[in-house]
């Protein structure tokens, strides 16, 4: 379970005047939102029985354009789908195509459902190096991998996904926290006792992380937290609850 606590400065149904953030601020916000979205998507659809795959090209086989790279990956996934279908399995996947930081070479990252043996998955690629491994969940799930895939060095889109993925739904609760509650959370995070505040309210979960950010422009406090079920195991990590909390400014 992960959630966001943030201020709402206007009454429901009323528009406030628009303020356009700087491009740098907007880019950072877009990046954070993309990381959260992809993390929730992975956690809602994949388990330790599934696979993380890294694909590169051997010299002379590299695609010459972004369109060609996307076409090659699409064709590869189609070949995998046929293999899965022959076994009576449905393929789910999330893929990302990007340039390498150091050498600028095109490569692909894919998270896909298990069922087909890894040797076959790698052999079907046939254009260079293919490395597959089981998804490795820790107390934060696969947040690190999801953030890595969602980083901003990408092609047309940050990622592509199959249509059969379960889309996580966020619950939203307006006006349930007041400014005193926010001050309590801030103090708890500063003192290192934030686990108590969150775990008292969600006893079935254990706190993994809670961070607090103060916006210097609107003076609002923004808190993000991540928790895991107490009976968590890697194989059950794919079915977390989802929650997004909103606070009002001084209104319970």
């Amino acid at each position: 379970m992960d959630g966001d606590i943030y201020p709402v400065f206007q009454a429901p149904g009323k528009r406030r005047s628009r303020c356009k953030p700087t491009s740098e601020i907007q880019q950072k916000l877009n990046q954070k939102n993309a990381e959260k979205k992809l993390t929730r998507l992975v956690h809602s659809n994949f388990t330790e029985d599934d696979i993380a795959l890294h694909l590169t090209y051997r010299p002379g086989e590299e695609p010459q354009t972004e369109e060609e790279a996307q076409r090659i990956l699409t064709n590869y996934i189609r070949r995998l789908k046929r293999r899965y279908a022959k076994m009576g399995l449905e393929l789910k996947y999330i893929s990302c195509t990007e340039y390498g930081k150091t050498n600028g070479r095109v490569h692909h990252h894919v998270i896909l459902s298990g069922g087909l043996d890894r040797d076959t998955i790698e052999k079907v690629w046939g254009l260079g190096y293919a490395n597959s491994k089981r998804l490795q969940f820790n107390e934060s799930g696969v947040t690190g991998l999801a953030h890595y895939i969602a980083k901003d060095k990408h092609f047309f889109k940050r990622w592509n996904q199959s249509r059969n993925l379960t889309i996580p739904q966020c619950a939203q609760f307006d006006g349930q926290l007041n400014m005193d509650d926010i001050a309590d959370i801030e103090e708890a995070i500063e003192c290192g006792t934030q686990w108590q505040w969150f775990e008292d309210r969600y006893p079935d979960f254990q706190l993994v992380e809670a961070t607090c950010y103060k916006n210097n422009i609107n003076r609002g406090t923004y808190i993000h937290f991540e928790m895991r079920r107490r009976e968590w195991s890697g194989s059950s990590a794919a079915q977390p609850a989802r929650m997004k909390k909103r606070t009002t400014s001084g209104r319970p």
Side-chain angles (χ1 to χ4, degrees):
M1 176 174 73
D2 68 275
D4 294 289
I5 302 172
Y6 54 89
V8 176
F9 296 103
Q10 77 273 17
K14 290 186 179 180
R15 257 183 214 269
R16 63 171 177 158
S17 58
R18 292 188 177 184
C19 79
K20 187 176 181 180
T22 66
S23 59
E24 183 180 357
I25 292 175
Q26 189 63 55
Q27 286 176 6
K28 289 181 178 179
L29 178 61
N30 291 344
Q31 179 64 26
K32 286 184 178 180
N33 288 338
E35 291 172 357
K36 290 178 185 177
K37 181 178 180 180
L38 184 57
T39 299
R40 292 166 182 162
L41 194 62
V42 174
H43 286 167
S44 296
N45 289 278
F46 299 98
T47 73
E48 281 186 338
D49 295 327
D50 299 319
I51 294 169
L53 178 64
H54 178 66
L55 304 170
T56 62
Y57 295 86
R58 68 173 66 94
E61 300 280 358
E62 300 97 334
Q64 300 303 306
T65 65
E66 295 182 358
E67 290 81 3
E68 184 183 1
Q70 293 297 92
R71 178 182 57 79
I72 290 172
L73 181 61
T74 298
N75 289 338
Y76 168 68
I77 290 175
R78 285 175 180 166
R79 295 197 298 273
L80 285 182
K81 281 183 178 179
R82 290 195 290 267
R83 300 288 184 113
Y84 275 73
K86 286 181 180 179
M87 300 177 63
L89 300 173
E90 183 180 32
L91 174 63
K92 291 184 176 184
Y93 72 88
I94 294 172
S95 67
C96 168
T97 302
E98 61 183 19
Y99 293 108
K101 261 188 178 180
T102 55
N103 54 25
R105 298 184 64 181
V106 174
H107 59 278
H108 309 281
H109 300 287
V110 186
I111 298 175
L112 67 159
S113 49
L116 189 63
D117 68 275
R118 288 159 56 192
D119 287 342
T120 300
I121 289 172
E122 294 175 359
K123 185 177 180 180
V124 170
W125 174 238
L127 294 174
Y129 179 76
N131 180 36
S132 63
K133 60 182 180 181
R134 294 292 181 188
L135 279 180
Q136 298 178 7
F137 285 79
N138 56 26
E139 66 177 11
S140 299
V142 288
T143 299
L145 175 61
H147 286 193
Y148 178 78
I149 292 177
K151 65 183 182 295
D152 56 4
K153 192 72 171 178
H154 53 84
F155 275 26
F156 308 106
K157 298 167 63 176
R158 292 179 188 271
W159 69 84
N160 293 290
Q161 64 192 60
S162 56
R163 296 180 180 179
N164 55 354
L165 295 187
T166 298
I167 306 302
Q169 300 297 321
C170 294
Q172 188 162 304
F173 303 92
D174 288 352
Q176 294 201 356
L177 299 177
N178 57 37
M179 297 307 294
D180 290 337
D181 295 322
I182 301 305
D184 288 343
I185 302 175
E186 286 186 87
E187 182 179 358
I189 292 176
E190 184 177 348
C191 297
T193 58
Q194 61 269 35
W195 60 270
Q196 185 173 3
W197 194 97
F198 287 98
E199 292 179 15
D200 283 349
R201 285 154 181 79
Y202 304 107
D204 293 336
F205 291 82
Q206 181 175 344
L207 184 68
V208 174
E209 181 183 23
T211 56
C212 180
Y213 164 72
K214 179 75 75 173
N215 188 311
N216 292 327
I217 298 176
N218 62 22
R219 312 306 297 173
T221 298
Y222 296 77
I223 298 167
H224 178 72
F225 65 94
E226 299 178 8
M227 306 183 78
R228 66 176 175 88
R229 292 191 183 277
R230 292 191 180 277
E231 67 273 17
W232 172 85
S233 67
S235 59
S236 65
Q239 300 299 331
R242 298 288 166 215
M243 177 169 291
K244 180 183 287 186
K245 295 187 71 67
R246 296 179 71 177
T247 71
T248 58
S249 179
R251 186 173 70 248

